[in-house]
Amino acid sequence: GSYHHQDAAEYAEFILAAFLHMDREFGLVPDGLEILLEPDNVSQWNGTTVGNAIVAVEARLSAAGYSPEIIAPSCTNMGNAVAYFDALATVPGALSALDEICYHRYGGVSDTNLQALALRGRRQGKRTSMLEWWSTGNGIDTLFKDLAMGETSAWQHGVLCGIGAPNDDMPLYMVDASDPSAPVVAINRKARLARQVYRFVRRGAVRVGASVQAGSAQALA
């Protein structure tokens, strides 16, 4: 059959239906909406179709009384996120409706691309965010780079919780459920480092310059 989500109006109707269902059935109204997860993984989407979707969805939700923050393009490839943003920004109304420039770290990872995204966010007055890299390579060093170079306002280490013994993998916490009547929750080592940022950098905080003389240390303030 045909791929209806490629049609901006059809996609907007689908998103509104999801909002209405969550609101009416559960009393839940999302604060933010990620327009599409990794649009560069399917052939039907590109920066222009993402921009068209943003405009259509924002108008349809607004007419129904919903005003979530809009997040895009959420590409799996960091380099694609730059190109997709540039394309969606040419769609009339898309840039003004967008609140956050989102990228993932599965491909196209480079300082050049990271700085390009930060620059676009700064010039357009948009936040940036790294919202997915489910990898054992992710950790505090990545968080520091995304904060300092990518100027991110939101960041995701990985999944919240896993089942099994503590490890250094993607979950923030692990649950040992070998005794179902007495499960044990333990925080992973990498999460112990990242939680210092999560805990002490409060909502609305603004990053300022910082430097350190020790070559083995990094500084953020």
Short mmCIF file of all heavy atoms in Angstrom, two decimals, residues 147-220:
data_model
loop_
_atom_site.label_atom_id
_atom_site.label_comp_id
_atom_site.label_asym_id
_atom_site.label_seq_id
_atom_site.Cartn_x
_atom_site.Cartn_y
_atom_site.Cartn_z
N LEU A 147 27.99 18.86 25.60
CA LEU A 147 27.69 20.09 26.33
C LEU A 147 28.58 21.24 25.88
O LEU A 147 28.11 22.35 25.61
CB LEU A 147 27.86 19.87 27.83
CG LEU A 147 26.76 19.12 28.57
CD1 LEU A 147 27.21 18.79 29.99
CD2 LEU A 147 25.48 19.93 28.59
N ALA A 148 29.89 21.00 25.80
CA ALA A 148 30.84 22.06 25.51
C ALA A 148 30.87 22.44 24.04
O ALA A 148 30.85 23.62 23.69
CB ALA A 148 32.24 21.64 25.96
N MET A 149 30.90 21.45 23.14
CA MET A 149 31.02 21.73 21.72
C MET A 149 29.67 21.77 21.02
O MET A 149 29.43 22.60 20.13
CB MET A 149 31.92 20.69 21.07
CG MET A 149 32.26 20.98 19.62
SD MET A 149 33.41 19.75 18.93
CE MET A 149 34.91 20.15 19.83
N GLY A 150 28.77 20.88 21.42
CA GLY A 150 27.45 20.83 20.79
C GLY A 150 26.44 21.76 21.42
O GLY A 150 25.35 21.96 20.88
N GLU A 151 26.79 22.31 22.59
CA GLU A 151 25.92 23.25 23.31
C GLU A 151 24.53 22.68 23.54
O GLU A 151 23.51 23.36 23.41
CB GLU A 151 25.85 24.59 22.55
CG GLU A 151 27.22 25.22 22.35
CD GLU A 151 27.17 26.55 21.61
OE1 GLU A 151 26.06 27.06 21.36
OE2 GLU A 151 28.25 27.06 21.27
N THR A 152 24.48 21.40 23.90
CA THR A 152 23.20 20.72 24.08
C THR A 152 22.48 21.17 25.34
O THR A 152 23.09 21.51 26.34
CB THR A 152 23.40 19.19 24.16
OG1 THR A 152 24.38 18.90 25.16
CG2 THR A 152 23.86 18.63 22.84
N SER A 153 21.16 21.14 25.25
CA SER A 153 20.30 21.42 26.39
C SER A 153 19.62 20.16 26.91
O SER A 153 19.02 20.18 27.98
CB SER A 153 19.23 22.44 26.01
OG SER A 153 19.80 23.69 25.71
N ALA A 154 19.68 19.08 26.13
CA ALA A 154 19.13 17.79 26.55
C ALA A 154 20.04 16.69 26.02
O ALA A 154 20.64 16.84 24.95
CB ALA A 154 17.71 17.61 26.03
N TRP A 155 20.13 15.60 26.76
CA TRP A 155 21.10 14.55 26.40
C TRP A 155 20.63 13.22 26.98
O TRP A 155 20.11 13.16 28.09
CB TRP A 155 22.46 14.92 26.98
CG TRP A 155 23.62 14.09 26.51
CD1 TRP A 155 24.35 14.30 25.38
CD2 TRP A 155 24.20 12.96 27.15
NE1 TRP A 155 25.35 13.37 25.28
CE2 TRP A 155 25.28 12.53 26.35
CE3 TRP A 155 23.91 12.27 28.33
CZ2 TRP A 155 26.09 11.44 26.69
CZ3 TRP A 155 24.70 11.18 28.67
CH2 TRP A 155 25.77 10.78 27.85
N GLN A 156 20.83 12.16 26.19
CA GLN A 156 20.39 10.84 26.65
C GLN A 156 21.56 9.87 26.67
O GLN A 156 22.23 9.66 25.66
CB GLN A 156 19.29 10.28 25.73
CG GLN A 156 18.74 8.94 26.23
CD GLN A 156 17.81 8.29 25.24
OE1 GLN A 156 18.12 7.24 24.69
NE2 GLN A 156 16.67 8.89 24.98
N HIS A 157 21.79 9.28 27.86
CA HIS A 157 22.85 8.27 27.99
C HIS A 157 22.43 6.96 27.33
O HIS A 157 23.19 6.35 26.59
CB HIS A 157 23.15 8.03 29.47
CG HIS A 157 24.12 6.92 29.73
ND1 HIS A 157 25.47 7.12 29.80
CD2 HIS A 157 23.93 5.58 29.91
CE1 HIS A 157 26.08 5.97 30.02
NE2 HIS A 157 25.15 5.02 30.10
N GLY A 158 21.23 6.51 27.62
CA GLY A 158 20.73 5.24 27.11
C GLY A 158 19.42 4.92 27.77
O GLY A 158 18.68 5.82 28.18
N VAL A 159 19.12 3.65 27.93
CA VAL A 159 17.87 3.28 28.56
C VAL A 159 17.92 3.54 30.06
O VAL A 159 19.00 3.61 30.66
CB VAL A 159 17.53 1.79 28.30
CG1 VAL A 159 17.34 1.57 26.81
CG2 VAL A 159 18.63 0.88 28.82
N LEU A 160 16.77 3.68 30.68
CA LEU A 160 16.71 3.99 32.10
C LEU A 160 17.11 2.79 32.96
O LEU A 160 17.86 2.94 33.92
CB LEU A 160 15.29 4.44 32.47
CG LEU A 160 15.05 4.77 33.95
CD1 LEU A 160 15.90 5.94 34.38
CD2 LEU A 160 13.57 5.06 34.19
N CYS A 161 16.63 1.61 32.58
CA CYS A 161 16.83 0.47 33.47
C CYS A 161 16.95 -0.83 32.69
O CYS A 161 16.32 -1.00 31.65
CB CYS A 161 15.65 0.39 34.45
SG CYS A 161 15.91 -0.71 35.83
N GLY A 162 17.77 -1.75 33.20
CA GLY A 162 17.93 -3.06 32.60
C GLY A 162 17.81 -4.13 33.67
O GLY A 162 17.81 -3.84 34.87
N ILE A 163 17.72 -5.38 33.23
CA ILE A 163 17.60 -6.51 34.15
C ILE A 163 18.91 -7.29 34.14
O ILE A 163 19.42 -7.63 33.08
CB ILE A 163 16.44 -7.44 33.76
CG1 ILE A 163 15.12 -6.68 33.72
CG2 ILE A 163 16.35 -8.62 34.72
CD1 ILE A 163 14.68 -6.13 35.07
N GLY A 164 19.47 -7.54 35.33
CA GLY A 164 20.70 -8.31 35.42
C GLY A 164 21.68 -7.70 36.41
O GLY A 164 21.32 -6.84 37.21
N ALA A 165 22.92 -8.14 36.32
CA ALA A 165 23.96 -7.65 37.23
C ALA A 165 24.45 -6.28 36.76
O ALA A 165 24.38 -5.96 35.57
CB ALA A 165 25.12 -8.63 37.27
N PRO A 166 24.95 -5.44 37.67
CA PRO A 166 25.50 -4.13 37.29
C PRO A 166 26.58 -4.26 36.24
O PRO A 166 27.39 -5.19 36.28
CB PRO A 166 26.04 -3.59 38.62
CG PRO A 166 25.24 -4.27 39.66
CD PRO A 166 24.98 -5.66 39.13
N ASN A 167 26.59 -3.35 35.28
CA ASN A 167 27.61 -3.36 34.23
C ASN A 167 27.86 -1.92 33.78
O ASN A 167 27.36 -0.98 34.37
CB ASN A 167 27.17 -4.25 33.06
CG ASN A 167 25.84 -3.80 32.47
OD1 ASN A 167 25.57 -2.62 32.35
ND2 ASN A 167 25.01 -4.76 32.08
N ASP A 168 28.65 -1.75 32.73
CA ASP A 168 28.96 -0.42 32.22
C ASP A 168 28.25 -0.18 30.90
O ASP A 168 28.68 0.63 30.08
CB ASP A 168 30.47 -0.26 32.02
CG ASP A 168 31.20 -0.32 33.35
OD1 ASP A 168 30.60 0.07 34.36
OD2 ASP A 168 32.36 -0.77 33.37
N ASP A 169 27.14 -0.88 30.68
CA ASP A 169 26.44 -0.81 29.41
C ASP A 169 25.49 0.39 29.39
O ASP A 169 25.64 1.35 30.15
CB ASP A 169 25.69 -2.11 29.17
CG ASP A 169 25.51 -2.41 27.68
OD1 ASP A 169 25.61 -1.48 26.86
OD2 ASP A 169 25.23 -3.57 27.35
N MET A 170 24.46 0.33 28.58
CA MET A 170 23.60 1.48 28.33
C MET A 170 22.66 1.87 29.48
O MET A 170 22.38 3.05 29.65
CB MET A 170 22.78 1.23 27.07
CG MET A 170 23.63 1.12 25.82
SD MET A 170 22.67 0.65 24.36
CE MET A 170 22.30 -1.05 24.70
N PRO A 171 22.13 0.93 30.26
CA PRO A 171 21.17 1.34 31.29
C PRO A 171 21.80 2.21 32.39
O PRO A 171 22.97 2.02 32.74
CB PRO A 171 20.69 0.00 31.87
CG PRO A 171 20.98 -1.01 30.83
CD PRO A 171 22.24 -0.53 30.18
N LEU A 172 21.02 3.13 32.91
CA LEU A 172 21.47 3.92 34.06
C LEU A 172 21.46 3.06 35.32
O LEU A 172 22.33 3.18 36.18
CB LEU A 172 20.59 5.15 34.25
CG LEU A 172 20.58 6.17 33.11
CD1 LEU A 172 19.63 7.31 33.43
CD2 LEU A 172 21.98 6.70 32.86
N TYR A 173 20.45 2.19 35.42
CA TYR A 173 20.31 1.31 36.57
C TYR A 173 20.13 -0.13 36.10
O TYR A 173 19.66 -0.37 35.00
CB TYR A 173 19.10 1.71 37.42
CG TYR A 173 19.23 3.04 38.11
CD1 TYR A 173 18.84 4.21 37.46
CD2 TYR A 173 19.75 3.15 39.39
CE1 TYR A 173 18.97 5.44 38.08
CE2 TYR A 173 19.88 4.37 40.02
CZ TYR A 173 19.49 5.52 39.35
OH TYR A 173 19.62 6.74 39.96
N MET A 174 20.50 -1.08 36.97
CA MET A 174 20.25 -2.48 36.70
C MET A 174 19.45 -3.06 37.87
O MET A 174 19.66 -2.68 39.03
CB MET A 174 21.57 -3.25 36.54
CG MET A 174 22.41 -2.84 35.34
SD MET A 174 21.62 -3.12 33.75
CE MET A 174 21.70 -4.91 33.66
N VAL A 175 18.56 -3.96 37.57
CA VAL A 175 17.75 -4.62 38.59
C VAL A 175 18.11 -6.10 38.61
O VAL A 175 17.93 -6.80 37.61
CB VAL A 175 16.24 -4.44 38.33
CG1 VAL A 175 15.43 -5.19 39.39
CG2 VAL A 175 15.87 -2.97 38.31
N ASP A 176 18.60 -6.56 39.74
CA ASP A 176 18.86 -7.99 39.95
C ASP A 176 17.56 -8.60 40.44
O ASP A 176 17.17 -8.42 41.59
CB ASP A 176 19.97 -8.17 40.97
CG ASP A 176 20.32 -9.65 41.19
OD1 ASP A 176 19.57 -10.52 40.68
OD2 ASP A 176 21.33 -9.92 41.86
N ALA A 177 16.87 -9.31 39.54
CA ALA A 177 15.57 -9.89 39.87
C ALA A 177 15.67 -11.39 40.08
O ALA A 177 14.68 -12.11 39.92
CB ALA A 177 14.57 -9.57 38.77
N SER A 178 16.86 -11.88 40.45
CA SER A 178 17.01 -13.32 40.69
C SER A 178 16.09 -13.80 41.80
O SER A 178 15.65 -14.95 41.80
CB SER A 178 18.47 -13.65 41.01
OG SER A 178 18.94 -12.88 42.11
N ASP A 179 15.83 -12.92 42.78
CA ASP A 179 14.82 -13.20 43.81
C ASP A 179 13.67 -12.23 43.57
O ASP A 179 13.73 -11.07 44.01
CB ASP A 179 15.41 -13.00 45.20
CG ASP A 179 14.41 -13.31 46.30
OD1 ASP A 179 13.23 -13.63 45.98
OD2 ASP A 179 14.78 -13.24 47.48
N PRO A 180 12.62 -12.65 42.88
CA PRO A 180 11.53 -11.74 42.52
C PRO A 180 10.88 -11.06 43.71
O PRO A 180 10.32 -9.97 43.58
CB PRO A 180 10.54 -12.65 41.79
CG PRO A 180 11.35 -13.80 41.31
CD PRO A 180 12.40 -14.01 42.36
N SER A 181 10.96 -11.68 44.86
CA SER A 181 10.33 -11.09 46.05
C SER A 181 11.20 -10.00 46.67
O SER A 181 10.73 -9.25 47.53
CB SER A 181 10.04 -12.18 47.09
OG SER A 181 11.25 -12.77 47.54
N ALA A 182 12.47 -9.94 46.28
CA ALA A 182 13.37 -8.94 46.84
C ALA A 182 14.34 -8.45 45.77
O ALA A 182 15.55 -8.68 45.85
CB ALA A 182 14.14 -9.51 48.03
N PRO A 183 13.84 -7.75 44.75
CA PRO A 183 14.72 -7.25 43.68
C PRO A 183 15.69 -6.21 44.22
O PRO A 183 15.36 -5.45 45.13
CB PRO A 183 13.75 -6.65 42.67
CG PRO A 183 12.54 -6.29 43.48
CD PRO A 183 12.44 -7.35 44.54
N VAL A 184 16.89 -6.19 43.65
CA VAL A 184 17.93 -5.26 44.09
C VAL A 184 18.25 -4.30 42.94
O VAL A 184 18.60 -4.73 41.84
CB VAL A 184 19.21 -6.00 44.52
CG1 VAL A 184 20.29 -5.00 44.92
CG2 VAL A 184 18.90 -6.96 45.66
N VAL A 185 18.14 -3.00 43.20
CA VAL A 185 18.42 -1.98 42.20
C VAL A 185 19.81 -1.41 42.44
O VAL A 185 20.15 -1.02 43.57
CB VAL A 185 17.37 -0.85 42.25
CG1 VAL A 185 17.69 0.21 41.19
CG2 VAL A 185 15.97 -1.40 42.04
N ALA A 186 20.63 -1.37 41.40
CA ALA A 186 21.99 -0.84 41.53
C ALA A 186 22.27 0.12 40.38
O ALA A 186 21.86 -0.11 39.24
CB ALA A 186 23.00 -1.98 41.51
N ILE A 187 22.98 1.20 40.68
CA ILE A 187 23.35 2.17 39.66
C ILE A 187 24.63 1.72 38.97
O ILE A 187 25.54 1.18 39.60
CB ILE A 187 23.53 3.57 40.29
CG1 ILE A 187 23.76 4.63 39.20
CG2 ILE A 187 24.66 3.59 41.30
CD1 ILE A 187 23.75 6.05 39.73
N ASN A 188 24.69 1.88 37.65
CA ASN A 188 25.87 1.51 36.91
C ASN A 188 27.00 2.52 37.08
O ASN A 188 26.78 3.68 37.43
CB ASN A 188 25.54 1.37 35.42
CG ASN A 188 24.94 0.02 35.09
OD1 ASN A 188 25.13 -0.94 35.82
ND2 ASN A 188 24.20 -0.04 33.99
N ARG A 189 28.23 2.07 36.82
CA ARG A 189 29.40 2.93 37.04
C ARG A 189 29.34 4.19 36.20
O ARG A 189 29.60 5.30 36.68
CB ARG A 189 30.68 2.15 36.74
CG ARG A 189 31.97 2.94 37.03
CD ARG A 189 33.20 2.14 36.65
NE ARG A 189 33.29 1.95 35.22
CZ ARG A 189 33.86 2.83 34.38
NH1 ARG A 189 34.35 3.96 34.84
NH2 ARG A 189 33.91 2.59 33.08
N LYS A 190 29.02 4.06 34.91
CA LYS A 190 28.97 5.23 34.04
C LYS A 190 27.89 6.21 34.50
O LYS A 190 28.05 7.42 34.38
CB LYS A 190 28.73 4.81 32.59
CG LYS A 190 29.96 4.19 31.93
CD LYS A 190 29.71 3.92 30.46
CE LYS A 190 30.96 3.36 29.79
NZ LYS A 190 30.74 3.09 28.35
N ALA A 191 26.80 5.68 35.01
CA ALA A 191 25.73 6.55 35.49
C ALA A 191 26.16 7.31 36.74
O ALA A 191 25.69 8.42 36.98
CB ALA A 191 24.48 5.73 35.79
N ARG A 192 27.07 6.74 37.53
CA ARG A 192 27.56 7.44 38.73
C ARG A 192 28.29 8.73 38.34
O ARG A 192 28.23 9.73 39.04
CB ARG A 192 28.51 6.54 39.52
CG ARG A 192 27.85 5.36 40.20
CD ARG A 192 28.85 4.53 40.97
NE ARG A 192 28.26 3.33 41.52
CZ ARG A 192 27.60 3.27 42.67
NH1 ARG A 192 27.47 4.37 43.39
NH2 ARG A 192 27.08 2.14 43.11
N LEU A 193 28.98 8.70 37.21
CA LEU A 193 29.69 9.88 36.74
C LEU A 193 28.71 10.90 36.15
O LEU A 193 28.74 12.08 36.50
CB LEU A 193 30.73 9.49 35.69
CG LEU A 193 31.84 8.54 36.15
CD1 LEU A 193 32.70 8.12 34.97
CD2 LEU A 193 32.69 9.17 37.24
N ALA A 194 27.83 10.43 35.29
CA ALA A 194 26.90 11.34 34.61
C ALA A 194 25.90 11.97 35.58
O ALA A 194 25.45 13.09 35.36
CB ALA A 194 26.15 10.59 33.51
N ARG A 195 25.57 11.27 36.66
CA ARG A 195 24.56 11.81 37.57
C ARG A 195 25.04 13.07 38.27
O ARG A 195 24.22 13.84 38.77
CB ARG A 195 24.15 10.76 38.60
CG ARG A 195 25.18 10.45 39.68
CD ARG A 195 24.59 9.54 40.74
NE ARG A 195 25.60 9.14 41.72
CZ ARG A 195 25.33 8.37 42.77
NH1 ARG A 195 24.11 7.95 42.98
NH2 ARG A 195 26.29 8.05 43.60
N GLN A 196 26.35 13.30 38.32
CA GLN A 196 26.83 14.55 38.90
C GLN A 196 26.37 15.75 38.06
O GLN A 196 26.08 16.82 38.60
CB GLN A 196 28.36 14.54 39.01
CG GLN A 196 28.92 13.40 39.84
CD GLN A 196 28.33 13.37 41.25
OE1 GLN A 196 28.22 14.39 41.90
NE2 GLN A 196 27.95 12.20 41.69
N VAL A 197 26.30 15.54 36.75
CA VAL A 197 25.79 16.58 35.87
C VAL A 197 24.27 16.65 35.99
O VAL A 197 23.67 17.72 36.13
CB VAL A 197 26.20 16.33 34.42
CG1 VAL A 197 25.64 17.41 33.49
CG2 VAL A 197 27.72 16.28 34.30
N TYR A 198 23.61 15.49 35.93
CA TYR A 198 22.15 15.45 36.01
C TYR A 198 21.65 16.10 37.31
O TYR A 198 20.64 16.80 37.33
CB TYR A 198 21.64 14.00 35.99
CG TYR A 198 21.97 13.22 34.74
CD1 TYR A 198 21.99 11.84 34.77
CD2 TYR A 198 22.23 13.85 33.53
CE1 TYR A 198 22.27 11.10 33.63
CE2 TYR A 198 22.52 13.12 32.39
CZ TYR A 198 22.53 11.74 32.46
OH TYR A 198 22.81 11.01 31.34
N ARG A 199 22.36 15.86 38.38
CA ARG A 199 21.90 16.30 39.70
C ARG A 199 22.15 17.78 39.95
O ARG A 199 21.31 18.46 40.53
CB ARG A 199 22.59 15.46 40.79
CG ARG A 199 22.12 15.79 42.19
CD ARG A 199 22.72 14.83 43.19
NE ARG A 199 22.21 15.03 44.54
CZ ARG A 199 22.52 14.28 45.58
NH1 ARG A 199 23.35 13.25 45.43
NH2 ARG A 199 22.02 14.53 46.77
N PHE A 200 23.29 18.28 39.51
CA PHE A 200 23.68 19.63 39.90
C PHE A 200 23.47 20.70 38.82
O PHE A 200 23.51 21.88 39.12
CB PHE A 200 25.13 19.65 40.37
CG PHE A 200 25.35 18.85 41.63
CD1 PHE A 200 26.04 17.66 41.60
CD2 PHE A 200 24.82 19.29 42.84
CE1 PHE A 200 26.23 16.91 42.77
CE2 PHE A 200 25.01 18.56 44.00
CZ PHE A 200 25.70 17.37 43.96
N VAL A 201 23.28 20.28 37.58
CA VAL A 201 22.94 21.25 36.54
C VAL A 201 21.43 21.28 36.44
O VAL A 201 20.81 20.38 35.89
CB VAL A 201 23.57 20.86 35.18
CG1 VAL A 201 23.19 21.89 34.11
CG2 VAL A 201 25.08 20.76 35.30
N ARG A 202 20.85 22.33 36.99
CA ARG A 202 19.41 22.39 37.11
C ARG A 202 18.75 22.89 35.82
O ARG A 202 19.39 23.51 34.96
CB ARG A 202 19.01 23.30 38.27
CG ARG A 202 19.69 22.97 39.60
CD ARG A 202 19.65 21.50 39.95
NE ARG A 202 18.29 20.97 40.02
CZ ARG A 202 18.01 19.66 40.04
NH1 ARG A 202 18.98 18.77 39.94
NH2 ARG A 202 16.77 19.27 40.13
N ARG A 203 17.46 22.65 35.70
CA ARG A 203 16.69 23.10 34.55
C ARG A 203 16.82 24.62 34.40
O ARG A 203 16.65 25.36 35.36
CB ARG A 203 15.22 22.71 34.73
CG ARG A 203 14.34 23.03 33.53
CD ARG A 203 12.92 22.57 33.77
NE ARG A 203 12.06 22.84 32.63
CZ ARG A 203 11.88 22.01 31.61
NH1 ARG A 203 12.51 20.85 31.60
NH2 ARG A 203 11.08 22.32 30.62
N GLY A 204 17.14 25.06 33.20
CA GLY A 204 17.29 26.49 32.95
C GLY A 204 18.70 27.01 33.12
O GLY A 204 18.97 28.19 32.88
N ALA A 205 19.63 26.14 33.55
CA ALA A 205 21.02 26.56 33.73
C ALA A 205 21.64 26.95 32.39
O ALA A 205 21.26 26.44 31.34
CB ALA A 205 21.84 25.45 34.37
N VAL A 206 22.60 27.87 32.43
CA VAL A 206 23.29 28.33 31.22
C VAL A 206 24.78 28.04 31.37
O VAL A 206 25.38 28.34 32.40
CB VAL A 206 23.07 29.85 31.02
CG1 VAL A 206 23.86 30.33 29.80
CG2 VAL A 206 21.58 30.15 30.84
N ARG A 207 25.39 27.44 30.33
CA ARG A 207 26.81 27.12 30.38
C ARG A 207 27.65 28.36 30.16
O ARG A 207 27.35 29.18 29.28
CB ARG A 207 27.16 26.06 29.33
CG ARG A 207 28.58 25.53 29.44
CD ARG A 207 28.85 24.45 28.41
NE ARG A 207 28.79 24.97 27.06
CZ ARG A 207 29.79 25.58 26.44
NH1 ARG A 207 30.95 25.73 27.07
NH2 ARG A 207 29.66 26.03 25.21
N VAL A 208 28.71 28.51 30.95
CA VAL A 208 29.65 29.61 30.81
C VAL A 208 31.05 29.04 30.58
O VAL A 208 31.26 27.84 30.66
CB VAL A 208 29.64 30.53 32.05
CG1 VAL A 208 28.28 31.16 32.23
CG2 VAL A 208 30.04 29.76 33.29
N GLY A 209 32.01 29.91 30.30
CA GLY A 209 33.36 29.45 30.02
C GLY A 209 34.03 28.87 31.25
O GLY A 209 33.79 29.29 32.38
N ALA A 210 34.90 27.89 31.03
CA ALA A 210 35.67 27.29 32.12
C ALA A 210 36.95 26.73 31.53
O ALA A 210 36.98 26.32 30.37
CB ALA A 210 34.89 26.19 32.81
N SER A 211 38.03 26.73 32.32
CA SER A 211 39.29 26.18 31.85
C SER A 211 39.97 25.45 32.99
O SER A 211 39.68 25.68 34.16
CB SER A 211 40.21 27.29 31.31
OG SER A 211 40.51 28.21 32.35
N VAL A 212 40.88 24.54 32.63
CA VAL A 212 41.61 23.78 33.63
C VAL A 212 43.03 23.58 33.10
O VAL A 212 43.25 23.42 31.90
CB VAL A 212 40.93 22.43 33.90
CG1 VAL A 212 40.87 21.58 32.64
CG2 VAL A 212 41.62 21.67 35.02
N GLN A 213 44.02 23.65 34.01
CA GLN A 213 45.41 23.52 33.60
C GLN A 213 45.88 22.07 33.52
O GLN A 213 46.76 21.74 32.73
CB GLN A 213 46.30 24.29 34.57
CG GLN A 213 46.11 25.81 34.49
CD GLN A 213 47.04 26.56 35.43
OE1 GLN A 213 47.43 26.03 36.48
NE2 GLN A 213 47.37 27.80 35.09
N ALA A 214 45.28 21.19 34.30
CA ALA A 214 45.66 19.78 34.28
C ALA A 214 45.24 19.16 32.96
O ALA A 214 44.06 19.19 32.59
CB ALA A 214 45.00 19.05 35.44
N GLY A 215 46.19 18.59 32.24
CA GLY A 215 45.90 18.04 30.93
C GLY A 215 44.95 16.86 30.94
O GLY A 215 44.32 16.55 29.94
N SER A 216 44.87 16.15 32.06
CA SER A 216 44.01 14.95 32.13
C SER A 216 42.59 15.27 32.56
O SER A 216 41.78 14.36 32.69
CB SER A 216 44.63 13.96 33.12
OG SER A 216 44.71 14.54 34.41
N ALA A 217 42.28 16.54 32.81
CA ALA A 217 40.97 16.91 33.31
C ALA A 217 40.21 17.73 32.28
O ALA A 217 40.79 18.32 31.38
CB ALA A 217 41.10 17.72 34.61
N GLN A 218 38.88 17.72 32.42
CA GLN A 218 38.01 18.55 31.61
C GLN A 218 37.23 19.46 32.55
O GLN A 218 36.95 19.09 33.69
CB GLN A 218 37.05 17.69 30.79
CG GLN A 218 37.71 16.74 29.82
CD GLN A 218 36.69 15.95 29.04
OE1 GLN A 218 35.97 16.47 28.21
NE2 GLN A 218 36.60 14.65 29.33
N ALA A 219 36.85 20.63 32.04
CA ALA A 219 36.12 21.58 32.88
C ALA A 219 34.88 22.08 32.20
O ALA A 219 34.90 22.41 31.00
CB ALA A 219 37.03 22.75 33.26
N LEU A 220 33.78 22.11 32.93
CA LEU A 220 32.54 22.74 32.50
C LEU A 220 31.99 23.53 33.67
O LEU A 220 32.20 23.16 34.83
CB LEU A 220 31.50 21.69 32.07
CG LEU A 220 31.71 20.99 30.74
CD1 LEU A 220 30.68 19.89 30.56
CD2 LEU A 220 31.64 21.98 29.58
#
